[in-house]
């Protein structure tokens, strides 16, 4: 994409920044996002860049994520303060722009919302959110085969299934329920 760092350069840089497992996951998300982009008529390059960079801030410690958000003026919600791992999405969008020279607002937005989702997501947003969940290296998520099939048929139904399963998982484990994830779930329930 014009004005962007080349994908091959980003891959080299990420290979140094991420642990091996996260890097393998990242490539899986990039290729899954590409396949979904082709299936749903979305710009292939946008999907590949967003997939490649979605977790670029993931391997930073939670405490450092919080410090960096404060340093760069990235707002942190009450829920994010209680679940600091969520910050990798917002911080990742910031790094995609400042470190990896991404200027496309759609790519940056898809990175920003890939963890919690948000109501009224665009198609690229949904593709990155779903690709993160279904990429080939994921093995443990409930209903994975069903969701993988759904993803190529109906992005909205795949979103609803992932959100429902995620909320059920968090409730069962007593995990923090992010208000934005709850709103996103409600949005897709009402949509369908």
């Amino acid at each position: 994409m014009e004005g962007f760092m080349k994908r091959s350069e980003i891959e080299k840089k990420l290979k140094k920044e991420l642990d091996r497992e996260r890097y393998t996951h990242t490539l899986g998300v990039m290729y899954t996002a590409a396949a979904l982009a082709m299936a749903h008529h979305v710009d292939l390059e946008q999907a590949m860049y967003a997939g490649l960079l979605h977790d670029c801030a993931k391997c930073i410690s939670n405490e450092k994520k919080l410090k960096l958000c404060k340093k760069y003026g990235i707002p942190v919600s009450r829920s994010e303060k209680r679940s600091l791992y969520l910050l990798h999405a917002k911080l990742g969008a910031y790094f995609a722009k400042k470190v990896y020279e991404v200027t496309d607002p759609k790519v940056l937005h898809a990175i920003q919302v890939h963890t919690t989702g948000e109501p009224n997501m665009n198609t690229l947003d949904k593709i990155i959110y779903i690709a993160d969940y279904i990429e080939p290296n994921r093995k443990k998520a409930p209903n994975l085969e069903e969701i993988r099939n759904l993803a190529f048929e109906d992005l909205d139904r795949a979103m609803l299934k992932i959100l429902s399963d995620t909320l059920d998982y968090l409730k069962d484990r007593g995990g923090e329920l992010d208000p934005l994830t709850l709103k996103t779930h409600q949005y897709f329930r009402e949509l369908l």
Side-chain angles (χ1 to χ4, degrees):
M1 293 187 89
E2 218 175 289
F4 282 30
M5 191 182 279
K6 285 187 180 149
R7 228 179 25 246
S8 59
E9 291 174 43
I10 293 173
E11 285 180 35
K12 276 184 207 163
K13 202 168 166 98
L14 284 174
K15 197 169 191 177
K16 292 176 190 167
E17 298 289 326
L18 302 176
D19 61 44
R20 186 183 308 164
E21 195 176 303
R22 183 62 45 192
Y23 184 71
T24 301
H25 164 74
T26 291
L27 293 181
V29 173
M30 179 180 72
Y31 290 121
T32 303
L36 287 169
M38 288 186 275
H40 295 287
H41 315 289
V42 167
D43 185 281
L44 188 59
E45 288 294 305
Q46 287 179 322
M48 292 185 81
Y49 272 95
L52 182 60
L53 288 166
H54 82 287
D55 271 355
C56 67
K58 185 82 172 195
C59 289
I60 298 168
S61 75
N62 286 334
E63 293 73 28
K64 190 170 180 186
K65 283 183 191 107
L66 184 59
K67 283 180 186 165
L68 289 170
C69 284
K70 285 179 182 169
K71 179 180 178 180
Y72 300 129
I74 299 167
V76 177
S77 71
R78 216 177 297 146
S79 169
E80 288 166 335
K81 281 182 184 157
R82 288 191 298 266
S83 303
L84 292 173
Y85 68 92
L86 292 173
L87 293 176
H88 80 275
K90 286 179 175 177
L91 196 56
Y94 179 86
F95 284 167
K97 185 175 186 175
K98 297 295 182 188
V99 178
Y100 298 99
E101 303 167 8
V102 174
T103 55
D104 186 321
K106 278 189 169 179
V107 172
L108 297 172
H109 189 262
I111 295 167
Q112 185 177 319
V113 301
H114 86 269
T115 304
T116 57
E118 71 177 16
N120 206 22
M121 293 164 76
N122 67 43
T123 307
L124 180 62
D125 294 341
K126 293 180 222 177
I127 283 173
I128 300 307
Y129 186 95
I130 293 166
D132 188 27
Y133 196 86
I134 68 167
E135 63 95 3
N137 302 294
R138 282 264 197 231
K139 306 276 189 258
K140 295 181 201 158
N143 305 305
L144 201 48
E145 287 309 309
E146 177 191 349
I147 294 168
R148 283 179 172 146
N149 290 328
L150 259 181
F152 287 90
E153 296 165 14
D154 187 329
L155 292 172
D156 291 335
R157 285 178 47 222
M159 284 294 302
L160 180 60
K161 187 70 182 141
I162 292 169
L163 287 157
S164 296
D165 288 352
T166 299
L167 290 174
D168 288 346
Y169 173 79
L170 289 170
K171 283 176 193 163
D172 290 347
R173 292 193 56 210
E176 175 81 22
L177 300 179
D178 182 79
L180 192 51
T181 304
L182 290 167
K183 283 181 193 163
T184 306
H185 179 254
Q186 184 66 31
Y187 171 84
F188 282 100
R189 262 199 12 223
E190 289 170 5
L191 186 68
L192 303 168

